[in-house]
C-alpha cells in the first residue's frame, strides 16, 4: 500500500482566487489528501433549507483538478446560529445544569432528537451531492467527538433518552433497583420517569447509576455517528472516517469504530505533553519541544485496533498550537519524525493541520504549514522531505507484534466513578504498561476488551480491567503464553457491584483480594526484589505461587502457570523489570532502549526515533536530535 500525506484546508476562510495557487502548492509539495468542510455549515446552508453548494463545488473542483483527493467532513460539530433559534433546547447542559452556549463549537447535545434530524438532513444533502464526486475519496463524520468535554450532557433531552435507555436495559424499575442496590439509602424507584441524571446529588450518586449513565452517553455517541454513516453508505462508496483524539476515553471508540472504515486521530504531541500527560516536571522539560516518546505510538497502536487495521492521522501538529497551557515550538525535525513514526505503526495517511495559519478568530496563534502571509513555515520543508522519502521508500507493512495490551473504555469509566484513591487513572495505568513494553523495544498490538483469541501473542498485558468479558476470560483460559493481569481485575460486576466469589476469580488462579489500600504518591510500598508499588496495592490470600512480595510480606506478583496477577501499581522501573522477566520466560527478544529513543519494526525494517534534544549513539549509528533512522532487517 502506498502511504500518503495530506493537509486540512478551509477554502471558506480564503478568497476564492487564492484556491488555485493553494491547490497547486499542495500538489507540488507532494500531498495527496486535503480534508475540507467539517466546520462550514453556515456557508453550506446559510438560511434554513437554502443550500449554497456553489462554492463547495468549485473548491472540490479546484482541488481535484490539481490532482488532490478530498476528504469531505460533515459539518455537524458546528451548527449555525439559526439552528439555535429554531431549537433553543438543543444545547448541551454541563453537570451544574448550565447551558454550553453558542459562539465556539460542539454546543449540541447528542441526545437532542430534533438536532439529529437536522444532522440527517445536511448529511443526506451532502451525500447526495458529493457521494459519487470523482474528486472526493473519503468522508469524515463530525469532528472530534468528546472534544471540549462534550460527551456528557445533563439536558432534558438527555434525561428523556436516558430513561428510555434504562427501560430497555432493565425492563422494570424493580429490576433496576435490584441491579443498582437502591435499597441502600432508600434510593428505590417506582417508575423510570422518576430517574434523573446522576448530577446535582447531595453527595456522590450511586456508582451503578453513574456507570449506567456513562454507558448510555457512550451509546448516544455511537448512535449519533451511525445515523451519519448509514446515510453516507447509502449514497457513496467512499470509506468513512472519524478523527478521534489523544487520551480521550469518554465513549467506546471500538463501538463507533465498528461503523467506520478508518479510525483517524489528531496528534498534537506538544499540546498533549503540556496539558494532558501525567509526568514529572523534569520529563516535561526534557521533551518540551519533542513530545512524550510513547504517547503518540500508544495512540497509533490503539487506533490501529479501533480501525481494525485501517487508520490515519487526520491532524498532525506542524508547529506551536494555541490551546495548551504552554505552546512550545517543535524542534526542527519533529514534524518529520512524528509523520514517520505514524507510518512505521501502519498509518495509511498523515495530514497536517492546517495548510495556512488563520489570521482571524480563535486559532490565530496555531501554526500551519504556511504562515498567515503564505510564506512557508518550518514544517513545510519537513513535509516535503517526508513526501520525497515516502516515494523512495518500500512499503511499511506491519510486522507481527511481540506483545498484546488490552484496552477497555468501560474500565476508564469504572475507575473514574470509584477511584478509591485520587491517583487511580485507568488510562495512566495502561499507558505505563505500554511504556514498560516499549522501553524494551517491543512491537505492541492493542486489543479490544472482547478479544476472543490471544493465540498470536506470547505475552498479553491486561491491567486494571474492571469486568472481564466472557470472550476474554475464555481466551485467557486457553492462552498458552504469559499473561499479566491486575490490579483491580474483575473487581466489579457489569452492574458495578462487588462480585462474590471475590476478585480476581481467574481460571486456575487460587487467590482472592482480601483488602485494598490506596496511598498518596509520596508513600511508596517497597518490593523485596527492588522497586515500589505506588498509589495502590491489594492484599491477596490463597495458594497461588508467590513470585514477588512487598517488604512487609504481602504477595505482590502471583501466578498459576502462565497467568500472572499483579497486586499493585508498579513504578516505571519495576514495571519494566517485571515485564522483562516475563519476556525472558517466553524467549521474547528485548532491546532495552536509552531514554527518549524508541523503536518500531515493520515487516521489512527497523525504525528508530530519537525524541531527545541530543544525539544518541545506537545500533552503530549516530542518530541526531529529533532524528529518524531506519535500516532493512536481516
Ligand atoms: C483539534 C480540532 C481542530 C483544531 C485543532 C487545533 O482538536 O479538531 O479543528 O481546533 O484541534 O489544534
Amino acid at each position: 500500500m502506498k502511504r500518503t500525506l495530506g493537509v486540512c484546508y478551509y477554502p471558506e476562510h480564503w478568497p476564492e482566487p487564492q484556491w488555485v495557487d493553494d491547490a497547486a502548492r499542495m500538489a507540488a509539495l507532494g500531498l495527496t489528501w486535503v480534508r475540507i468542510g467539517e466546520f462550514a455549515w453556515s456557508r453550506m446552508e446559510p438560511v434554513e433549507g437554502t443550500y449554497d453548494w456553489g462554492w463547495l463545488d468549485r473548491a472540490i473542483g479546484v482541488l481535484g483538478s490539481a490532482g488532490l483527493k478530498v476528504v469531505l467532513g460533515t459539518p455537524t460539530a458546528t451548527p449555525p446560529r439559526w439552528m439555535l433559534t429554531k431549537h433553543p433546547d438543543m444545547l448541551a447542559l454541563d453537570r451544574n445544569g448550565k447551558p454550553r452556549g453558542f459562539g465556539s463549537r460542539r454546543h449540541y447535545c447528542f441526545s437532542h432528537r430534533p438536532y439529529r434530524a437536522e444532522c440527517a438532513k445536511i448529511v443526506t444533502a451532502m451525500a447526495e451531492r458529493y457521494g459519487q464526486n470523482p474528486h472526493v475519496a473519503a468522508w469524515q463524520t463530525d469532528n472530534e467527538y468528546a472534544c471540549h468535554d462534550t460527551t456528557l450532557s445533563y439536558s432534558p433531552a438527555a434525561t428523556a433518552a436516558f430513561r428510555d435507555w434504562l427501560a430497555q436495559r432493565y425492563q422494570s424499575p424493580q429490576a433496576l433497583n435490584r441491579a443498582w442496590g437502591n435499597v441502600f439509602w432508600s434510593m428505590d424507584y417506582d417508575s423510570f420517569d422518576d430517574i434523573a441524571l446522576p448530577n446535582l446529588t447531595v453527595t456522590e450518586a450511586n456508582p451503578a447509576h453513574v456507570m449506567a449513565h456513562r454507558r448510555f452517553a457512550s451509546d448516544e455517541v455511537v448512535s449519533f455517528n451511525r445515523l451519519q454513516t448509514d446515510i453516507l453508505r447509502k449514497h457513496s462508496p467512499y470509506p468513512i472516517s472519524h478523527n478521534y483524539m489523544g487520551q480521550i476515553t469518554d465513549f467506546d471508540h471500538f463501538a463507533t469504530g465498528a461503523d467506520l472504515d478508518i479510525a483517524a486521530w489528531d496528534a498534537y504531541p506538544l499540546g498533549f505533553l503540556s496539558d494532558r500527560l501525567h509526568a514529572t516536571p523534569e520529563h516535561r522539560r526534557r521533551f518540551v519541544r519533542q513530545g512524550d516518546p510513547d504517547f503518540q505510538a500508544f495512540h497509533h497502536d490503539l487506533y490501529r485496533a479501533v480501525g481494525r487495521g485501517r487508520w490515519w492521522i487526520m491532524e498532525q501538529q506542524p508547529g506551536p498550537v494555541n490551546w495548551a497551557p504552554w505552546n512550545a515550538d517543535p524542534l526542527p525535525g519533529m514534524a518529520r519524525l512524528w509523520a514517520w513514526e505514524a507510518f512505521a505503526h501502519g498509518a495509511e495517511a498523515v495530514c497536517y493541520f492546517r495548510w495556512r495559519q488563520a489570521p482571524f478568530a480563535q486559532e490565530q496563534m496555531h501554526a500551519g504549514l504556511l504562515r498567515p502571509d503564505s510564506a512557508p513555515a518550518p514544517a513545510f520543508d519537513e513535509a516535503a522531505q517526508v513526501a520525497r522519502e515516502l516515494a523512495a521508500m518500500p512499503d511499511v507493512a506491519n510486522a507481527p507484534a511481540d506483545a498484546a495490551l488490552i484496552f477497555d473504555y468501560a474500565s476508564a469509566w469504572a475507575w473514574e466513578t470509584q477511584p478509591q484513591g485520587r491517583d487511580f487513572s485507568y488510562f495512566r495505568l495502561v499507558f505505563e504498561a505500554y511504556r514498560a513494553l516499549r522501553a524494551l523495544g517491543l512491537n505492541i498490538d492493542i486489543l479490544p476488551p472482547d478479544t476472543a483469541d490471544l493465540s498470536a501473542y506470547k505475552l498479553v498485558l491486561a491491567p486494571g480491567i474492571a469486568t472481564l468479558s466472557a470472550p476474554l476470560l475464555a481466551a485467557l483460559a486457553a492462552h498458552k503464553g504469559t499473561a499479566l493481569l491486575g490490579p483491580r481485575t474483575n473487581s466489579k460486576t457489569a452492574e458495578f457491584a462487588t462480585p462474590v466469589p471475590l476478585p480476581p476469580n481467574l481460571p486456575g488462579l487460587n487467590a482472592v483480594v482480601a483488602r485494598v489500600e490506596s496511598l498518596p504518591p509520596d508513600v511508596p510500598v517497597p518490593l523485596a526484589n527492588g522497586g515500589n508499588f505506588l498509589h495502590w496495592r491489594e492484599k491477596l490470600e490463597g495458594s497461588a505461587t508467590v513470585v514477588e512480595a512487598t517488604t512487609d510480606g504481602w504477595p505482590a506478583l502471583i501466578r498459576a502457570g502462565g497467568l500472572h496477577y499483579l497486586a499493585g501499581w508498579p513504578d516505571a522501573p519495576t514495571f519494566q523489570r517485571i515485564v522483562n522477566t516475563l519476556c525472558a520466560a517466553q524467549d521474547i527478544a528485548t532491546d532495552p532502549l536509552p531514554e527518549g529513543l524508541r523503536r518500531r519494526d515493520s515487516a521489512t525494517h527497523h525504525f528508530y526515533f530519537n525524541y531527545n534534544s541530543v544525539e544518541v549513539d545506537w545500533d552503530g549509528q549516530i542518530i541526531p536530535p529529533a532524528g529518524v533512522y531506519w535500516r532493512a532487517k536481516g
Side-chain angles (χ1 to χ4, degrees):
M1 167 193 294
K2 195 168 146 30
R3 318 273 155 179
T4 46
L5 288 177
V7 75
C8 304
Y9 185 54
Y10 300 91
E12 70 276 20
H13 294 182
W14 312 107
E16 197 166 328
Q18 207 166 347
W19 297 352
V20 174
D21 186 51
D22 281 343
R25 287 178 83 186
M26 289 174 197
L29 182 58
L31 305 184
T32 300
W33 297 96
V34 52
R35 184 197 62 177
I36 65 171
E38 82 278 9
F39 298 129
W41 197 338
S42 74
R43 299 302 167 100
M44 295 176 189
E45 191 181 3
V47 175
E48 192 203 342
T50 306
Y51 297 101
D52 179 1
W53 299 119
W55 70 270
L56 189 53
D57 293 351
R58 293 191 297 280
I60 291 172
V62 165
L63 296 165
S65 303
L68 298 158
K69 296 194 217 180
V70 171
V71 182
L72 192 53
T74 67
T76 50
T78 50
R81 184 58 186 82
W82 57 256
M83 187 73 73
L84 184 55
T85 306
K86 186 173 173 197
H87 302 290
D89 56 352
M90 66 169 282
L91 297 178
L93 301 191
D94 74 9
R95 59 175 306 112
N96 297 312
K98 287 213 200 81
R100 311 208 58 194
F102 183 85
S104 64
R105 59 180 173 183
R106 300 211 60 79
H107 45 283
Y108 68 85
C109 172
F110 278 104
S111 299
H112 191 265
R113 289 335 189 228
Y115 180 61
R116 286 192 180 200
E118 301 283 359
C119 292
K121 246 164 69 185
I122 188 78
V123 174
T124 304
M126 287 181 83
E128 284 174 353
R129 191 165 189 96
Y130 300 110
Q132 308 287 332
N133 185 300
H135 301 315
V136 174
W139 295 94
Q140 174 186 298
T141 56
D142 200 279
N143 188 80
E144 290 190 343
Y145 294 135
C147 185
H148 315 304
D149 201 10
T150 49
T151 304
L152 300 181
S153 163
Y154 298 88
S155 69
T159 305
F162 183 48
R163 288 172 180 163
D164 284 350
W165 186 92
L166 292 174
Q168 279 181 41
R169 182 177 171 101
Y170 297 101
Q171 300 291 310
S172 75
Q174 293 71 30
L176 177 146
N177 288 331
R178 271 195 306 277
W180 291 8
N182 280 339
V183 59
F184 196 79
W185 290 354
S186 279
M187 296 179 293
D188 290 307
Y189 295 101
D190 296 326
S191 158
F192 288 113
D193 291 338
D194 292 337
I195 305 179
L197 295 169
N199 61 328
L200 304 177
T201 51
V202 173
T203 182
E204 63 180 306
N206 185 339
H209 187 173
V210 177
M211 264 313 269
H213 180 230
R214 299 298 301 264
R215 289 185 200 281
F216 154 77
S218 177
D219 286 356
E220 289 290 273
V221 178
V222 174
S223 59
F224 182 91
N225 183 64
R226 186 176 300 145
L227 178 74
Q228 302 202 12
T229 56
D230 283 350
I231 295 167
L232 294 172
R233 289 202 195 285
K234 215 179 290 167
H235 299 280
S236 181
Y238 305 139
I240 310 173
S241 68
H242 175 75
N243 58 333
Y244 301 107
M245 304 174 70
Q247 202 178 328
I248 294 294
T249 53
D250 296 353
F251 63 94
D252 184 346
H253 294 42
F254 292 114
T256 45
D259 293 320
L260 297 163
D261 303 296
I262 298 168
W265 82 284
D266 297 345
Y268 292 95
L270 304 195
F272 298 144
L273 181 77
S274 179
D275 102 325
R276 228 158 269 186
L277 195 79
H278 290 278
T280 61
E282 192 213 333
H283 185 83
R284 283 185 211 284
R285 261 197 310 278
R286 178 172 181 143
F287 297 109
V288 64
R289 295 192 177 80
Q290 304 97 293
D292 180 87
D294 297 307
F295 195 88
Q296 286 65 249
F298 176 87
H299 290 85
H300 300 338
D301 292 343
L302 173 64
Y303 290 121
R304 195 172 61 248
V306 169
R308 298 178 312 280
R310 293 199 66 182
W311 73 277
W312 290 26
I313 300 271
M314 195 61 90
E315 301 180 9
Q316 174 62 64
Q317 175 167 3
V321 301
N322 63 308
W323 47 262
W326 297 277
N327 297 294
D329 188 20
L331 276 191
M334 288 312 297
R336 167 174 173 258
L337 182 151
W338 292 325
W340 267 112
E341 191 171 39
F343 290 127
H345 284 255
E348 294 179 11
V350 173
C351 302
Y352 289 94
F353 180 93
R354 50 186 275 157
W355 176 242
R356 184 186 294 102
Q357 185 168 351
F360 47 76
Q362 277 93 329
E363 294 178 350
Q364 295 174 43
M365 304 304 288
H366 193 300
L369 293 182
L370 300 183
R371 302 188 320 209
D373 65 359
S374 296
F380 188 93
D381 288 339
E382 293 189 30
Q385 183 181 348
V386 177
R388 284 193 304 273
E389 288 168 337
L390 274 174
M393 177 81 186
D395 183 32
V396 192
N398 277 320
D402 304 299
L405 177 64
I406 311 285
F407 192 81
D408 175 36
Y409 288 91
S411 293
W413 313 333
W415 306 140
E416 279 165 32
T417 300
Q418 202 171 74
Q420 180 66 5
R422 188 181 286 174
D423 304 309
F424 204 101
S425 149
Y426 174 75
F427 180 90
R428 182 176 172 188
L429 176 67
V430 178
F431 182 62
E432 290 183 9
Y434 182 86
R435 240 197 226 301
L437 291 165
R438 204 164 123 85
L440 294 170
L442 301 178
N443 266 25
I444 301 142
D445 277 350
I446 294 182
L447 304 177
D450 57 354
T451 295
D453 181 4
L454 296 167
S455 57
Y457 303 97
K458 288 205 250 179
L459 177 61
V460 176
L461 267 56
I465 296 193
T467 313
L468 284 174
S469 71
L472 185 56
L473 256 176
L476 284 165
H479 187 229
K480 301 270 186 290
T482 291
L484 180 65
L485 281 73
R488 291 189 99 162
T489 299
N490 239 357
S491 61
K492 296 290 167 189
T493 67
E495 293 298 340
F496 215 82
T498 302
V500 179
L502 290 175
N505 199 9
L506 294 170
L509 188 78
N510 186 313
V512 297
V513 175
R515 164 94 47 99
V516 301
E517 160 172 79
S518 64
L519 292 161
D522 54 354
V523 184
V525 177
L527 303 186
N529 289 359
N532 300 290
F533 279 161
L534 301 172
H535 315 304
W536 182 270
R537 68 159 168 169
E538 300 172 353
K539 188 163 204 174
L540 295 171
E541 291 176 357
S543 58
T545 308
V546 177
V547 182
E548 291 205 29
T550 58
T551 52
D552 60 359
W554 294 23
L557 179 67
I558 61 171
R559 74 178 179 91
L563 184 63
H564 293 67
Y565 186 87
L566 191 54
W569 183 318
D571 61 21
T574 309
F575 226 145
Q576 203 175 317
R577 172 172 65 71
I578 290 171
V579 168
N580 205 5
T581 311
L582 300 180
C583 286
Q586 284 290 331
D587 286 330
I588 298 172
T590 58
D591 177 18
L593 297 164
E595 196 180 352
L597 185 73
R598 288 297 180 254
R599 166 179 164 178
R600 167 86 186 171
D601 288 355
S602 72
T604 52
H605 287 76
H606 303 289
F607 286 83
Y608 291 91
F609 303 95
N610 184 7
Y611 270 84
N612 295 294
S613 56
V614 293
E615 64 183 30
V616 172
D617 183 352
W618 194 254
D619 196 42
Q621 292 287 320
I622 303 292
I623 310 174
V628 182
Y629 149 69
W630 60 79
R631 69 172 165 83
K633 281 182 167 174

